[in-house]
């Protein structure tokens, strides 16, 4: 109906009729907004109301799940627990880097930026990469560094093979030591005070128990850094399955929520202090966190003083 038709129907009262319709439409749109419905002003449309659960799941979808190559509704054909994480990563190794979402890449790049900043202050960096994966998201950024020494630890042979393949023929690959073993066992075999940087990049959520932070501190050189990143525990609770397509099937790892405050508590008990902390993603609902720890020189002296008292 065009404007002339409105005047024909309502006559002199047409402006009042149009105003009434406008007010009523505005009321509908405001009510729909407060109910959490989707709104389109042109063409005019009000969508269905989302439940709180659906809203949270939709938001999780916008953020991009850790298993970013599958749809949220895809049911896994095989599901692994964190006590079977070695088997899970063995199965997905060749597809591992295909599932990186934007938020996941941002998390890896935050770790890369930390490493670059530390390297600027400490050339010839010695790095211990725990649960290093394929090396394609962090280590490869330093592929041409002839002075950096990289010790890689992973309990998954297929992941270690991908790491070797990705760094083969490059200076960092030649300067790398690859250890395929259980992380906690490997920590006990490495030389104390040997590393400028130790990394746990998105590793803790795949472990049944966190590592011994005392052992991590023992391996750090004075002034060294422990970098820990992982997924927002609230996001993990809403999205517990890390899904990956492998040969036409969906396999999943049921990951463990990692509380950053619990990480800080364990690190502090081991004599590590927080040097930096940040969140990655939306401010109101961050996707992941990054923590940087350095050895607290006061703690060992305090222990020695208490022991001699």
């Amino acid at each position: 109906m065009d404007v002339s038709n409105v005047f024909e129907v309502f006559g002199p009262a047409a402006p009042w009729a149009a105003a009434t319709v406008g007010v009523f439409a505005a009321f509908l749109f405001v009510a729909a907004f407060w109910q959490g419905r989707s709104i389109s002003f042109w063409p005019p449309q009000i969508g269905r109301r989302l439940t709180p659960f659906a809203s949270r799941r939709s938001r999780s979808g916008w953020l991009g799940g850790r298993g970013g190559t599958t749809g949220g509704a895809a049911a896994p054909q095989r599901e692994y627990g964190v006590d079977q994480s070695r088997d899970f990563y063995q199965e997905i190794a060749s597809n591992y880097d295909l599932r990186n979402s934007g938020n996941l890449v941002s998390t890896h790049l935050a770790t890369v930026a930390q490493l670059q900043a530390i390297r600027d202050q400490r050339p010839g960096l010695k790095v211990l990469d725990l649960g290093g994966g394929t090396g394609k998201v962090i280590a490869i950024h330093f592929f041409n560094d002839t002075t950096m020494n990289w010790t890689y630890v992973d309990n998954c042979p297929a992941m270690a093979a991908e790491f070797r393949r990705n760094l083969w023929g490059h200076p960092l690959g030649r300067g790398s030591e690859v250890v395929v073993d259980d992380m906690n066992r490997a920590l006990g075999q490495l030389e104390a005070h040997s590393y400028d940087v130790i990394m746990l990049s998105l590793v803790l959520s795949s472990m049944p128990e966190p590592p011994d932070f005392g052992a991590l501190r023992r391996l750090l050189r004075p002034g060294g850094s422990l970098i820990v990143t992982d997924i927002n525990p609230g996001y993990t609770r809403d999205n517990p399955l890390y899904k990956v397509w492998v040969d036409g099937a969906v396999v999943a790892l049921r990951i463990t929520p990692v509380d950053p405050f619990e990480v800080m508590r364990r690190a502090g008990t081991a004599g590590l202090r927080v040097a930096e902390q940040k969140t990655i993603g939306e401010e109101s609902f961050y996707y992941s966190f990054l923590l940087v720890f350095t050895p607290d020189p006061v703690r060992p002296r305090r222990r020695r003083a208490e022991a001699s008292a």
Side-chain angles (χ1 to χ4, degrees):
M1 180 181 292
D2 59 25
V3 175
S4 60
N5 290 334
V6 172
F7 275 93
E8 289 177 4
V9 173
F10 292 99
W16 293 102
T20 302
V21 171
V23 170
F24 182 68
F27 171 78
L28 288 179
F29 277 107
V30 170
F33 173 80
W34 284 110
Q35 290 176 5
R37 298 177 186 270
S38 60
I39 299 172
S40 171
F41 288 97
W42 192 260
Q45 183 177 357
I46 297 175
R48 66 183 180 85
R49 183 177 184 176
L50 297 177
T51 64
F53 176 78
S55 299
R56 184 171 66 250
R57 297 294 296 181
S58 296
R59 187 165 199 178
S60 297
W62 302 335
L63 290 171
R66 188 173 177 187
T69 57
T70 67
Q77 278 71 40
R78 290 181 296 283
E79 182 180 320
Y80 297 86
V82 287
D83 58 329
Q84 303 167 304
S85 60
R86 177 187 178 279
D87 299 329
F88 170 76
Y89 286 109
Q90 185 74 11
E91 183 169 0
I92 72 160
S94 61
N95 291 45
Y96 177 78
D97 294 305
L98 301 178
R99 95 288 185 246
N100 285 330
S101 66
N103 285 289
L104 208 57
V105 171
S106 296
T107 305
H108 291 309
L109 290 178
T111 301
V112 170
Q114 285 289 332
L115 278 172
Q116 290 172 334
I118 297 169
R119 183 181 58 172
D120 290 343
Q121 302 297 321
R122 303 183 120 183
L125 212 59
K126 287 196 69 173
V127 176
L128 176 58
D129 186 5
L130 298 173
T134 66
K136 207 168 184 177
V137 288
I138 296 178
I140 206 166
H141 287 272
F142 305 92
F143 76 100
N144 210 28
D145 193 314
T146 58
T147 63
M148 184 179 284
N149 180 278
W150 199 280
T151 300
Y152 167 101
V153 177
D154 203 299
N155 69 344
C156 176
M159 283 292 196
E162 292 290 325
F163 177 87
R164 290 189 181 99
R165 185 178 301 112
N166 288 329
L167 275 299
W168 184 86
H170 299 292
L172 186 64
R174 292 190 290 270
S176 296
E177 177 188 2
V178 176
V179 179
V180 181
D181 200 352
D182 173 77
M183 183 192 299
N184 289 313
R185 184 163 49 243
L187 291 178
Q189 297 171 351
L190 297 171
E191 185 178 351
H193 312 301
S194 295
Y195 299 98
D196 299 296
V197 177
I198 299 176
M199 290 192 306
L200 285 163
S201 177
L202 301 169
V203 172
L204 297 181
S205 52
S206 295
M207 298 180 66
E209 294 292 337
D212 179 0
F213 279 82
L216 298 176
R217 189 196 187 285
R218 180 185 68 85
L219 295 173
L220 279 174
R221 288 175 170 174
S225 300
L226 168 64
I227 302 174
V228 179
T229 60
D230 225 300
I231 307 299
N232 175 350
Y235 181 83
T236 301
R237 279 187 281 270
D238 283 350
N239 303 269
L241 292 181
Y242 166 23
K243 302 176 186 177
V244 180
W245 281 102
V246 179
D247 298 328
V250 179
V251 297
L253 176 68
R254 186 169 291 276
I255 56 179
T256 302
V258 177
D259 184 347
F261 296 103
E262 176 63 14
V263 174
M264 288 188 279
R265 186 192 69 78
R266 288 176 179 270
T269 301
L272 294 161
R273 60 182 177 84
V274 178
E276 185 171 347
Q277 54 183 308
K278 65 184 294 187
T279 57
I280 299 156
E282 297 181 26
E283 292 183 5
S284 59
F285 194 87
Y286 69 92
Y287 174 76
S288 59
F289 62 86
L290 180 146
L291 301 170
V292 181
F293 301 94
T294 57
D296 185 349
V298 175
R299 297 296 296 271
R301 288 202 297 269
R302 184 181 299 162
R303 289 196 186 98
R304 286 196 294 268
E306 291 171 352
S308 61

